[in-house]
């Protein structure tokens, strides 16, 4: 008997998120936008009618991951009706090629087009039922979209992401974000504060404010320092984090806010990218190495407790061994708590792709990454040693990866800490004082201190 494929009464959607925290947040927005139109979500991709991939375009390997997932879906789609959607930065960036390269993709939506998703998916399902193979695209960038009225459907946990702005106008020459996420725009602070209050009411103990360059947050008379302080004062929020500021314009008011407000985490992620002035100039970072170093000094003079972390790109166009050594020297000088180190990956249409040759051989890029990773591991190891013997407050996230007998949480400076639970119950969201007795390059090991009993 021939069974007609039936349109499901309630379409089940599975969403996979790749890339940065902004994508995590956007997936939560998408969940909210689709749920209010009657879609439901499943963790199980096997029973999903719709699989969405929220993608990242920042480096080649991010692309490759998505292509691997898409090719896995080819065989699934042969056996059952399935709508496949590509969202986010890759959808925006590859709008011309992706539908041809991966014919199984039914829906494409860039970061500013998520309001159109319910309609796009419904149309794709109807067309699929009728046996019509036609792509549905919505990849227009907008100068205004901030999704201000959408309350994200958040993942459980202790942390809630809140986007305070979208897009980027910095045009660092290596970076694809200004092209995939469009022009910079700040959200109304009223909406951000409402969202922060709602997060606190829902039991989130921490919020992380997100923007490509939070220092350029600007709305009427509001700047980022003012916004951060107001969010930190929301009752119930114990920790506020933010990422990322740009080193070119770090205002003193922001430094004062971080330094003095007890709820604002003593952690600043300050991407440096390179320690050489010629390379920084080619990267269009608009600061010099010595300007960066004097900012580091200012931060540390203001508050010695502030942990600094960074991003570095190794093997940018025409970077010489000597110029790379400048980056090594900068890392030795600053002694970051930790660092994300990336191999330069040329992205189509960026300024660097148009102006410069990606001429550092792959093997040299790899050597430089390894040298930096090794150096940073030693520094992180030494820095973490400094906590041994002290008591640090840890916000509990859950169990450690290794064992359900161990708790895991983060320090104010965002370092992972673990401890033996010894039969005691710890709940995500609890703040636990840990007496640190050992450490590695990535983890502090502690003993939970008895907490003062509540009156
Ligand atoms: N190649 C390698 N790393 C990159 N990043 C951004 N674009 C590229 C690229 N083309 C890194 C930068 C940035 C971080 C989010 O990703 O270090 O700070
Ligand atoms: Fe990319 Fe630079 Fe904007 Fe960061 S600030 S998103 S690195 S262009």
């Amino acid at each position: 008997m021939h069974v007609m494929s039936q349109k499901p009464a309630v379409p089940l959607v599975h969403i996979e998120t790749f890339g940065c925290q902004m994508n995590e947040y956007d997936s939560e927005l998408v969940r909210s936008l689709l749920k209010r139109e009657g879609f439901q979500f499943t963790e199980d991709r096997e029973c999903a009618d719709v699989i969405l991939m929220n993608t990242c375009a920042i480096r080649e390997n991010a692309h490759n991951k998505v292509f691997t997932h898409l090719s896995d879906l080819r065989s699934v789609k042969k056996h059952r009706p399935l709508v496949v959607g590509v969202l986010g930065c890759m959808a925006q960036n590859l709008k011309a090629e992706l539908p041809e390269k991966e014919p199984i993709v039914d829906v494409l939506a860039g970061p500013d087009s998520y309001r159109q998703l319910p309609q796009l998916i419904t149309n794709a399902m109807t067309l699929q039922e009728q046996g019509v193979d036609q792509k549905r695209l919505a990849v227009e960038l907008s100068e205004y979209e901030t999704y201000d009225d959408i309350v994200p459907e958040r993942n459980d946990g202790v942390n809630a992401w809140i986007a305070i702005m979208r897009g980027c106008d910095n045009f660092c020459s290596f970076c694809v974000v200004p092209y995939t996420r469009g022009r910079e725009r700040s959200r109304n602070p009223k909406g951000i504060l409402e969202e922060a209050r709602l997060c606190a009411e829902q039991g989130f103990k921490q919020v992380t404010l997100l923007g490509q360059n939070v220092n350029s947050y600007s709305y009427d008379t509001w700047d980022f320092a003012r916004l951060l302080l107001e969010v930190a004062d929301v009752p119930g929020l114990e920790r506020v984090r933010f990422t990322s500021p740009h080193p070119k314009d770090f205002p003193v008011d922001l430094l004062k806010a971080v330094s003095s407000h007890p709820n604002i985490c003593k952690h600043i992620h300050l991407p440096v990218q390179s320690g050489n002035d010629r390379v920084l100039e080619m990267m269009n970072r608009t600061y010099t190495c010595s300007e960066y170093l004097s900012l580091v000094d200012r931060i540390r003079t203001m508050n010695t407790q502030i942990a600094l972390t960074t991003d570095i790109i190794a093997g940018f166009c025409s970077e010489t061994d000597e110029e790379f050594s400048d980056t090594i020297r900068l890392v030795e000088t600053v002694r970051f708590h930790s660092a994300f180190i990336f191999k330069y990956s040329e992205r189509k249409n960026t300024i660097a792709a148009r102006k410069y040759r990606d001429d550092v051989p792959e093997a040299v890029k790899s050597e430089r990454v390894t040298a930096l990773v090794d150096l940073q591991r030693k520094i992180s190891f030494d820095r973490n040693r400094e906590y041994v013997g002290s008591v640090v407050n840890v916000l509990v996230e859950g169990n450690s990866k290794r064992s359900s007998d161990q708790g895991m949480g983060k320090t104010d400076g965002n370092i992972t800490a673990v401890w033996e639970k010894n039969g005691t119950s710890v709940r995500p969201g609890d703040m636990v004082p840990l007496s640190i007795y050992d450490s590695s390059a990535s983890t502090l090991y502690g003993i939970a201190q008895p907490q003062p009993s509540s009156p």
Side-chain angles (χ1 to χ4, degrees), residues 74-93:
R74 270 186 227 149
S75 60
V76 180
K77 212 171 161 173
K78 271 194 202 128
H79 297 111
R80 64 184 179 88
L82 177 67
V83 165
V84 176
V86 174
L87 319 182
C89 290
M90 256 173 91
Q92 192 67 47
N93 211 28

Side-chain angles (χ1 to χ4, degrees), residues 381-397:
F381 183 89
D382 289 346
R383 282 233 173 248
N384 287 349
R385 270 266 164 264
E386 292 165 14
Y387 293 94
V388 173
S390 65
V391 175
V392 296
N393 280 331
V394 166
L395 183 62
V396 178
E397 291 190 1

Side-chain angles (χ1 to χ4, degrees), residues 81-106:
L82 177 67
V83 165
V84 176
V86 174
L87 319 182
C89 290
M90 256 173 91
Q92 192 67 47
N93 211 28
L94 297 183
K95 58 185 174 209
E97 305 120 87
L98 201 72
E100 257 178 52
K101 209 166 163 188
E102 271 302 346
I104 65 152
V105 176
D106 304 293

